Amino acid sequence: MEEAGMLPGVPHLRSLGEVGELVEAVSPLYVRFSGGPVADAATVSRDHESGCLLPGLSVNPLTPEPWWDRKVEHWLARQLCQYAHLLAPDRYPWALTGEIAGRGPDCEPLLVGTTAVASIDRSVVDEAAWLYARVFHPGADGR
């Protein structure tokens, strides 16, 4: 794992606003919660429930979909909160690009040919959770 979740040679983002600026500059952009690119390169991606090998790294999109008509920070908060449960002392969020090689069991993109673009401070996930709780209605089913 890279030192304290910081990747050498790329920016370390400390706010949702900084992540939003990166999304405007780099597209498509994804987030992964792991020990970082070096740790990921040393392992094989596998679906934990089935045991099947995955053809790429499981990621979550940071670039909003074209239909998204809200603030980019709202999208980022939602996307970061989707995998926040994966935070651990040896796992942190980092932004990356790459080519989609398939979809995982939760329909998440699976990337190959990845390039690390930035590390994301753990405090950004806390900021995302704070915003998510204020602007979304978790569990609402549209009925």
Side-chain angles (χ1 to χ4, degrees):
M1 179 178 87
E2 284 77 10
E3 185 66 31
M6 296 178 73
L7 300 174
V10 298
H12 184 69
L13 307 179
R14 298 183 186 277
S15 71
L16 275 180
E18 288 181 350
V19 178
E21 290 173 10
L22 184 61
V23 164
E24 296 296 326
V26 178
S27 182
L29 189 66
Y30 304 91
V31 66
R32 178 163 169 80
F33 287 76
S34 73
V38 173
D40 287 345
T43 63
V44 174
S45 295
R46 188 177 294 276
D47 173 40
H48 298 292
E49 289 184 20
S50 69
C52 294
L53 291 176
L54 299 174
L57 297 177
S58 177
V59 298
N60 212 15
L62 289 177
T63 303
E65 289 291 326
W67 53 263
W68 188 256
D69 62 1
R70 298 175 72 160
K71 294 178 180 180
V72 67
E73 288 82 4
H74 293 182
W75 176 270
L76 296 173
R78 189 170 182 173
Q79 297 304 88
L80 288 169
C81 287
Q82 295 302 310
Y83 286 104
H85 65 280
L86 295 175
L87 279 175
D90 62 340
R91 292 174 159 248
Y92 59 91
W94 55 286
L96 64 159
T97 61
E99 181 180 335
I100 295 176
R103 297 277 174 178
D106 295 324
C107 211
E108 75 279 13
L110 302 172
L111 295 188
V112 295
T114 60
T115 300
V117 178
S119 58
I120 300 172
D121 199 84
R122 293 168 187 266
S123 66
V124 177
V125 178
D126 295 335
E127 181 185 356
W130 178 87
L131 181 60
Y132 184 85
R134 278 148 188 79
V135 300
F136 291 108
H137 307 286
D141 67 2
R143 283 191 254 169

Short mmCIF file of all heavy atoms in Angstrom, two decimals, residues 56-105:
data_model
loop_
_atom_site.label_atom_id
_atom_site.label_comp_id
_atom_site.label_asym_id
_atom_site.label_seq_id
_atom_site.Cartn_x
_atom_site.Cartn_y
_atom_site.Cartn_z
N GLY A 56 -11.13 -7.44 -15.14
CA GLY A 56 -10.59 -6.11 -14.87
C GLY A 56 -10.87 -5.70 -13.44
O GLY A 56 -11.44 -6.46 -12.66
N LEU A 57 -10.47 -4.48 -13.11
CA LEU A 57 -10.67 -3.95 -11.77
C LEU A 57 -12.07 -3.37 -11.62
O LEU A 57 -12.51 -2.58 -12.46
CB LEU A 57 -9.64 -2.85 -11.47
CG LEU A 57 -8.18 -3.25 -11.46
CD1 LEU A 57 -7.30 -2.02 -11.23
CD2 LEU A 57 -7.93 -4.30 -10.39
N SER A 58 -12.74 -3.71 -10.54
CA SER A 58 -14.07 -3.19 -10.25
C SER A 58 -13.96 -1.73 -9.83
O SER A 58 -13.19 -1.40 -8.92
CB SER A 58 -14.69 -4.03 -9.14
OG SER A 58 -15.94 -3.52 -8.78
N VAL A 59 -14.73 -0.86 -10.50
CA VAL A 59 -14.68 0.58 -10.23
C VAL A 59 -16.09 1.16 -10.21
O VAL A 59 -17.05 0.49 -10.59
CB VAL A 59 -13.83 1.32 -11.28
CG1 VAL A 59 -12.39 0.85 -11.26
CG2 VAL A 59 -14.41 1.16 -12.68
N ASN A 60 -16.19 2.41 -9.79
CA ASN A 60 -17.45 3.14 -9.80
C ASN A 60 -17.23 4.42 -10.58
O ASN A 60 -16.21 5.09 -10.38
CB ASN A 60 -17.90 3.42 -8.37
CG ASN A 60 -19.39 3.45 -8.20
OD1 ASN A 60 -20.14 3.01 -9.05
ND2 ASN A 60 -19.83 3.98 -7.08
N PRO A 61 -18.14 4.80 -11.47
CA PRO A 61 -17.94 6.00 -12.29
C PRO A 61 -18.01 7.29 -11.47
O PRO A 61 -18.93 7.49 -10.68
CB PRO A 61 -19.10 5.98 -13.29
CG PRO A 61 -19.73 4.64 -13.18
CD PRO A 61 -19.36 4.08 -11.85
N LEU A 62 -17.03 8.17 -11.68
CA LEU A 62 -17.08 9.51 -11.10
C LEU A 62 -17.61 10.53 -12.11
O LEU A 62 -18.10 11.58 -11.73
CB LEU A 62 -15.69 9.95 -10.62
CG LEU A 62 -15.17 9.24 -9.37
CD1 LEU A 62 -13.76 9.71 -9.05
CD2 LEU A 62 -16.10 9.46 -8.19
N THR A 63 -17.51 10.21 -13.39
CA THR A 63 -18.04 11.10 -14.42
C THR A 63 -19.55 10.94 -14.46
O THR A 63 -20.05 9.82 -14.65
CB THR A 63 -17.45 10.75 -15.80
OG1 THR A 63 -16.01 10.85 -15.70
CG2 THR A 63 -17.97 11.69 -16.88
N PRO A 64 -20.30 12.04 -14.27
CA PRO A 64 -21.77 11.92 -14.29
C PRO A 64 -22.29 11.47 -15.65
O PRO A 64 -21.70 11.76 -16.69
CB PRO A 64 -22.25 13.35 -14.00
CG PRO A 64 -21.09 14.03 -13.36
CD PRO A 64 -19.86 13.39 -13.95
N GLU A 65 -23.40 10.75 -15.62
CA GLU A 65 -24.08 10.35 -16.84
C GLU A 65 -24.71 11.59 -17.50
O GLU A 65 -25.02 12.57 -16.81
CB GLU A 65 -25.19 9.34 -16.51
CG GLU A 65 -24.65 7.99 -16.11
CD GLU A 65 -24.00 7.24 -17.26
OE1 GLU A 65 -24.46 7.39 -18.41
OE2 GLU A 65 -23.02 6.53 -17.02
N PRO A 66 -24.91 11.55 -18.82
CA PRO A 66 -25.49 12.70 -19.52
C PRO A 66 -26.86 13.13 -19.00
O PRO A 66 -27.22 14.31 -19.07
CB PRO A 66 -25.59 12.23 -20.98
CG PRO A 66 -24.58 11.14 -21.10
CD PRO A 66 -24.52 10.48 -19.74
N TRP A 67 -27.64 12.19 -18.45
CA TRP A 67 -28.98 12.52 -17.96
C TRP A 67 -28.95 13.21 -16.60
O TRP A 67 -29.97 13.74 -16.15
CB TRP A 67 -29.85 11.27 -17.88
CG TRP A 67 -29.25 10.13 -17.12
CD1 TRP A 67 -28.57 9.06 -17.64
CD2 TRP A 67 -29.24 9.93 -15.70
NE1 TRP A 67 -28.15 8.22 -16.63
CE2 TRP A 67 -28.55 8.74 -15.42
CE3 TRP A 67 -29.76 10.65 -14.62
CZ2 TRP A 67 -28.35 8.24 -14.14
CZ3 TRP A 67 -29.56 10.16 -13.33
CH2 TRP A 67 -28.87 8.98 -13.11
N TRP A 68 -27.81 13.23 -15.92
CA TRP A 68 -27.71 13.81 -14.58
C TRP A 68 -27.91 15.31 -14.67
O TRP A 68 -27.16 16.01 -15.35
CB TRP A 68 -26.34 13.49 -13.97
CG TRP A 68 -26.22 13.86 -12.54
CD1 TRP A 68 -25.56 14.94 -12.03
CD2 TRP A 68 -26.78 13.18 -11.41
NE1 TRP A 68 -25.66 14.97 -10.66
CE2 TRP A 68 -26.42 13.88 -10.26
CE3 TRP A 68 -27.55 12.03 -11.28
CZ2 TRP A 68 -26.79 13.49 -8.97
CZ3 TRP A 68 -27.93 11.64 -10.00
CH2 TRP A 68 -27.55 12.36 -8.88
N ASP A 69 -28.96 15.83 -13.98
CA ASP A 69 -29.27 17.26 -14.08
C ASP A 69 -29.07 17.98 -12.75
O ASP A 69 -29.61 19.07 -12.54
CB ASP A 69 -30.69 17.48 -14.61
CG ASP A 69 -31.77 16.90 -13.71
OD1 ASP A 69 -31.45 16.33 -12.65
OD2 ASP A 69 -32.95 17.02 -14.08
N ARG A 70 -28.28 17.38 -11.87
CA ARG A 70 -27.98 17.99 -10.58
C ARG A 70 -26.50 18.38 -10.54
O ARG A 70 -25.75 18.11 -11.49
CB ARG A 70 -28.29 17.01 -9.45
CG ARG A 70 -29.78 16.63 -9.41
CD ARG A 70 -30.05 15.59 -8.39
NE ARG A 70 -29.94 16.18 -7.06
CZ ARG A 70 -30.49 15.65 -5.98
NH1 ARG A 70 -31.17 14.53 -6.06
NH2 ARG A 70 -30.34 16.22 -4.80
N LYS A 71 -26.09 18.97 -9.44
CA LYS A 71 -24.70 19.35 -9.28
C LYS A 71 -23.77 18.14 -9.36
O LYS A 71 -24.12 17.05 -8.89
CB LYS A 71 -24.49 20.03 -7.93
CG LYS A 71 -25.20 21.34 -7.78
CD LYS A 71 -24.96 21.89 -6.39
CE LYS A 71 -25.68 23.21 -6.22
NZ LYS A 71 -25.48 23.78 -4.86
N VAL A 72 -22.59 18.34 -9.92
CA VAL A 72 -21.62 17.25 -10.02
C VAL A 72 -21.24 16.75 -8.63
O VAL A 72 -21.02 15.55 -8.44
CB VAL A 72 -20.37 17.68 -10.84
CG1 VAL A 72 -19.55 18.74 -10.12
CG2 VAL A 72 -19.50 16.48 -11.17
N GLU A 73 -21.21 17.63 -7.63
CA GLU A 73 -20.87 17.21 -6.27
C GLU A 73 -21.90 16.21 -5.73
O GLU A 73 -21.56 15.33 -4.94
CB GLU A 73 -20.74 18.40 -5.32
CG GLU A 73 -19.50 19.23 -5.55
CD GLU A 73 -19.63 20.24 -6.68
OE1 GLU A 73 -20.74 20.38 -7.27
OE2 GLU A 73 -18.63 20.88 -7.00
N HIS A 74 -23.16 16.34 -6.14
CA HIS A 74 -24.19 15.39 -5.71
C HIS A 74 -23.89 14.00 -6.29
O HIS A 74 -24.02 12.99 -5.61
CB HIS A 74 -25.58 15.85 -6.11
CG HIS A 74 -26.03 17.10 -5.42
ND1 HIS A 74 -27.26 17.65 -5.63
CD2 HIS A 74 -25.42 17.91 -4.52
CE1 HIS A 74 -27.40 18.74 -4.90
NE2 HIS A 74 -26.28 18.92 -4.21
N TRP A 75 -23.54 13.97 -7.58
CA TRP A 75 -23.17 12.70 -8.22
C TRP A 75 -21.98 12.08 -7.49
O TRP A 75 -21.97 10.89 -7.18
CB TRP A 75 -22.83 12.93 -9.69
CG TRP A 75 -22.36 11.69 -10.39
CD1 TRP A 75 -21.06 11.27 -10.50
CD2 TRP A 75 -23.15 10.73 -11.08
NE1 TRP A 75 -21.00 10.10 -11.21
CE2 TRP A 75 -22.27 9.75 -11.58
CE3 TRP A 75 -24.51 10.61 -11.32
CZ2 TRP A 75 -22.71 8.66 -12.31
CZ3 TRP A 75 -24.94 9.50 -12.06
CH2 TRP A 75 -24.05 8.55 -12.54
N LEU A 76 -20.97 12.90 -7.24
CA LEU A 76 -19.76 12.39 -6.59
C LEU A 76 -20.07 11.84 -5.21
O LEU A 76 -19.55 10.78 -4.83
CB LEU A 76 -18.71 13.50 -6.50
CG LEU A 76 -18.19 14.02 -7.85
CD1 LEU A 76 -17.30 15.23 -7.63
CD2 LEU A 76 -17.48 12.92 -8.62
N ALA A 77 -20.91 12.55 -4.46
CA ALA A 77 -21.27 12.08 -3.12
C ALA A 77 -21.94 10.71 -3.21
O ALA A 77 -21.60 9.79 -2.45
CB ALA A 77 -22.20 13.09 -2.45
N ARG A 78 -22.85 10.57 -4.14
CA ARG A 78 -23.55 9.29 -4.29
C ARG A 78 -22.59 8.18 -4.69
O ARG A 78 -22.63 7.08 -4.13
CB ARG A 78 -24.66 9.45 -5.33
CG ARG A 78 -25.58 8.26 -5.40
CD ARG A 78 -26.78 8.59 -6.24
NE ARG A 78 -27.68 7.45 -6.27
CZ ARG A 78 -28.86 7.48 -6.81
NH1 ARG A 78 -29.32 8.59 -7.35
NH2 ARG A 78 -29.61 6.40 -6.83
N GLN A 79 -21.73 8.45 -5.64
CA GLN A 79 -20.81 7.43 -6.12
C GLN A 79 -19.80 7.04 -5.04
O GLN A 79 -19.50 5.85 -4.87
CB GLN A 79 -20.09 7.90 -7.38
CG GLN A 79 -21.02 8.15 -8.56
CD GLN A 79 -21.86 6.95 -8.92
OE1 GLN A 79 -22.95 6.74 -8.40
NE2 GLN A 79 -21.35 6.12 -9.80
N LEU A 80 -19.27 8.00 -4.32
CA LEU A 80 -18.31 7.68 -3.27
C LEU A 80 -18.96 6.91 -2.13
O LEU A 80 -18.34 6.02 -1.53
CB LEU A 80 -17.64 8.95 -2.75
CG LEU A 80 -16.64 9.58 -3.71
CD1 LEU A 80 -16.23 10.96 -3.22
CD2 LEU A 80 -15.42 8.70 -3.91
N CYS A 81 -20.20 7.22 -1.83
CA CYS A 81 -20.89 6.52 -0.74
C CYS A 81 -21.23 5.08 -1.10
O CYS A 81 -21.37 4.24 -0.22
CB CYS A 81 -22.15 7.29 -0.34
SG CYS A 81 -21.79 8.80 0.57
N GLN A 82 -21.34 4.76 -2.39
CA GLN A 82 -21.70 3.40 -2.80
C GLN A 82 -20.68 2.36 -2.35
O GLN A 82 -21.03 1.22 -2.09
CB GLN A 82 -21.86 3.32 -4.32
CG GLN A 82 -23.01 4.14 -4.86
CD GLN A 82 -24.35 3.75 -4.25
OE1 GLN A 82 -24.71 2.59 -4.21
NE2 GLN A 82 -25.07 4.74 -3.76
N TYR A 83 -19.41 2.75 -2.30
CA TYR A 83 -18.36 1.80 -1.92
C TYR A 83 -17.63 2.19 -0.64
O TYR A 83 -16.61 1.62 -0.31
CB TYR A 83 -17.35 1.64 -3.06
CG TYR A 83 -17.89 0.83 -4.21
CD1 TYR A 83 -18.30 1.43 -5.39
CD2 TYR A 83 -18.00 -0.55 -4.12
CE1 TYR A 83 -18.82 0.69 -6.44
CE2 TYR A 83 -18.52 -1.31 -5.16
CZ TYR A 83 -18.92 -0.68 -6.32
OH TYR A 83 -19.41 -1.42 -7.35
N ALA A 84 -18.17 3.16 0.09
CA ALA A 84 -17.52 3.63 1.32
C ALA A 84 -17.32 2.50 2.33
O ALA A 84 -16.39 2.54 3.13
CB ALA A 84 -18.32 4.77 1.94
N HIS A 85 -18.17 1.49 2.27
CA HIS A 85 -18.02 0.35 3.20
C HIS A 85 -16.71 -0.40 2.99
O HIS A 85 -16.29 -1.18 3.84
CB HIS A 85 -19.22 -0.60 3.07
CG HIS A 85 -19.30 -1.26 1.73
ND1 HIS A 85 -19.81 -0.64 0.61
CD2 HIS A 85 -18.92 -2.51 1.34
CE1 HIS A 85 -19.75 -1.47 -0.42
NE2 HIS A 85 -19.22 -2.60 0.00
N LEU A 86 -16.04 -0.16 1.87
CA LEU A 86 -14.78 -0.83 1.59
C LEU A 86 -13.57 -0.14 2.22
O LEU A 86 -12.47 -0.68 2.16
CB LEU A 86 -14.56 -0.94 0.07
CG LEU A 86 -15.56 -1.81 -0.68
CD1 LEU A 86 -15.32 -1.74 -2.17
CD2 LEU A 86 -15.53 -3.24 -0.18
N LEU A 87 -13.78 1.04 2.81
CA LEU A 87 -12.67 1.71 3.49
C LEU A 87 -12.16 0.83 4.62
O LEU A 87 -12.94 0.26 5.37
CB LEU A 87 -13.11 3.06 4.06
CG LEU A 87 -13.17 4.23 3.10
CD1 LEU A 87 -13.73 5.46 3.82
CD2 LEU A 87 -11.81 4.54 2.53
N ALA A 88 -10.86 0.74 4.72
CA ALA A 88 -10.21 -0.03 5.77
C ALA A 88 -8.81 0.56 5.93
O ALA A 88 -8.37 1.34 5.09
CB ALA A 88 -10.15 -1.51 5.39
N PRO A 89 -8.10 0.19 7.00
CA PRO A 89 -6.75 0.74 7.14
C PRO A 89 -5.86 0.51 5.92
O PRO A 89 -5.00 1.32 5.62
CB PRO A 89 -6.21 0.00 8.38
CG PRO A 89 -7.43 -0.31 9.17
CD PRO A 89 -8.50 -0.62 8.15
N ASP A 90 -6.09 -0.59 5.20
CA ASP A 90 -5.27 -0.89 4.02
C ASP A 90 -5.98 -0.58 2.70
O ASP A 90 -5.49 -0.98 1.64
CB ASP A 90 -4.82 -2.35 4.05
CG ASP A 90 -5.99 -3.32 4.00
OD1 ASP A 90 -7.13 -2.92 4.32
OD2 ASP A 90 -5.76 -4.50 3.64
N ARG A 91 -7.12 0.11 2.75
CA ARG A 91 -7.88 0.45 1.54
C ARG A 91 -8.27 1.92 1.58
O ARG A 91 -8.68 2.41 2.61
CB ARG A 91 -9.16 -0.37 1.44
CG ARG A 91 -8.93 -1.81 1.20
CD ARG A 91 -10.26 -2.57 1.26
NE ARG A 91 -10.10 -3.81 0.56
CZ ARG A 91 -10.70 -4.11 -0.59
NH1 ARG A 91 -11.55 -3.27 -1.13
NH2 ARG A 91 -10.48 -5.24 -1.18
N TYR A 92 -8.17 2.57 0.44
CA TYR A 92 -8.53 3.98 0.33
C TYR A 92 -9.06 4.25 -1.09
O TYR A 92 -8.84 3.44 -2.00
CB TYR A 92 -7.30 4.86 0.63
CG TYR A 92 -6.14 4.61 -0.30
CD1 TYR A 92 -5.99 5.34 -1.49
CD2 TYR A 92 -5.19 3.63 -0.01
CE1 TYR A 92 -4.93 5.09 -2.35
CE2 TYR A 92 -4.14 3.38 -0.87
CZ TYR A 92 -4.01 4.11 -2.04
OH TYR A 92 -2.97 3.86 -2.89
N PRO A 93 -9.74 5.36 -1.30
CA PRO A 93 -10.25 5.67 -2.64
C PRO A 93 -9.17 6.34 -3.49
O PRO A 93 -8.40 7.17 -3.00
CB PRO A 93 -11.41 6.63 -2.36
CG PRO A 93 -11.08 7.27 -1.06
CD PRO A 93 -10.27 6.28 -0.29
N TRP A 94 -9.14 5.96 -4.74
CA TRP A 94 -8.25 6.62 -5.69
C TRP A 94 -8.94 6.69 -7.05
O TRP A 94 -9.78 5.86 -7.38
CB TRP A 94 -6.89 5.94 -5.76
CG TRP A 94 -6.87 4.47 -6.06
CD1 TRP A 94 -7.21 3.45 -5.22
CD2 TRP A 94 -6.46 3.85 -7.28
NE1 TRP A 94 -7.05 2.24 -5.84
CE2 TRP A 94 -6.58 2.45 -7.10
CE3 TRP A 94 -5.99 4.32 -8.49
CZ2 TRP A 94 -6.25 1.54 -8.10
CZ3 TRP A 94 -5.67 3.42 -9.49
CH2 TRP A 94 -5.81 2.04 -9.29
N ALA A 95 -8.64 7.75 -7.79
CA ALA A 95 -9.26 8.00 -9.10
C ALA A 95 -8.37 7.43 -10.20
O ALA A 95 -7.14 7.52 -10.13
CB ALA A 95 -9.47 9.49 -9.30
N LEU A 96 -9.02 6.88 -11.22
CA LEU A 96 -8.28 6.25 -12.30
C LEU A 96 -9.05 6.32 -13.61
O LEU A 96 -10.25 6.62 -13.63
CB LEU A 96 -7.95 4.80 -11.96
CG LEU A 96 -9.11 3.81 -11.78
CD1 LEU A 96 -8.59 2.39 -11.98
CD2 LEU A 96 -9.75 3.92 -10.42
N THR A 97 -8.34 6.07 -14.68
CA THR A 97 -8.94 5.93 -16.00
C THR A 97 -8.55 4.55 -16.51
O THR A 97 -7.70 3.88 -15.93
CB THR A 97 -8.43 7.00 -16.99
OG1 THR A 97 -7.01 6.86 -17.13
CG2 THR A 97 -8.77 8.40 -16.52
N GLY A 98 -9.15 4.15 -17.61
CA GLY A 98 -8.85 2.86 -18.21
C GLY A 98 -9.91 2.49 -19.22
O GLY A 98 -10.82 3.27 -19.50
N GLU A 99 -9.78 1.30 -19.75
CA GLU A 99 -10.71 0.79 -20.76
C GLU A 99 -11.64 -0.23 -20.11
O GLU A 99 -11.19 -1.10 -19.37
CB GLU A 99 -9.91 0.13 -21.88
CG GLU A 99 -10.75 -0.41 -23.00
CD GLU A 99 -9.90 -1.06 -24.09
OE1 GLU A 99 -8.72 -0.69 -24.23
OE2 GLU A 99 -10.43 -1.94 -24.78
N ILE A 100 -12.93 -0.10 -20.40
CA ILE A 100 -13.90 -1.05 -19.85
C ILE A 100 -13.76 -2.39 -20.57
O ILE A 100 -13.86 -2.47 -21.79
CB ILE A 100 -15.34 -0.51 -19.98
CG1 ILE A 100 -15.51 0.74 -19.13
CG2 ILE A 100 -16.36 -1.57 -19.56
CD1 ILE A 100 -16.87 1.40 -19.25
N ALA A 101 -13.52 -3.45 -19.77
CA ALA A 101 -13.35 -4.80 -20.31
C ALA A 101 -14.58 -5.65 -20.08
O ALA A 101 -14.66 -6.77 -20.57
CB ALA A 101 -12.13 -5.46 -19.68
N GLY A 102 -15.54 -5.14 -19.32
CA GLY A 102 -16.74 -5.89 -19.01
C GLY A 102 -17.46 -5.24 -17.85
O GLY A 102 -17.13 -4.12 -17.44
N ARG A 103 -18.44 -5.96 -17.32
CA ARG A 103 -19.22 -5.50 -16.17
C ARG A 103 -19.15 -6.57 -15.09
O ARG A 103 -19.17 -7.77 -15.38
CB ARG A 103 -20.68 -5.25 -16.55
CG ARG A 103 -20.87 -4.16 -17.58
CD ARG A 103 -20.88 -2.84 -16.91
NE ARG A 103 -20.93 -1.76 -17.89
CZ ARG A 103 -20.98 -0.50 -17.56
NH1 ARG A 103 -21.01 -0.13 -16.29
NH2 ARG A 103 -20.99 0.44 -18.47
N GLY A 104 -19.10 -6.11 -13.84
CA GLY A 104 -19.07 -7.03 -12.71
C GLY A 104 -20.46 -7.47 -12.33
O GLY A 104 -21.47 -7.08 -12.94
N PRO A 105 -20.57 -8.28 -11.28
CA PRO A 105 -21.85 -8.83 -10.87
C PRO A 105 -22.85 -7.78 -10.39
O PRO A 105 -24.05 -8.04 -10.39
CB PRO A 105 -21.48 -9.80 -9.74
CG PRO A 105 -20.14 -9.38 -9.29
CD PRO A 105 -19.46 -8.76 -10.47
#
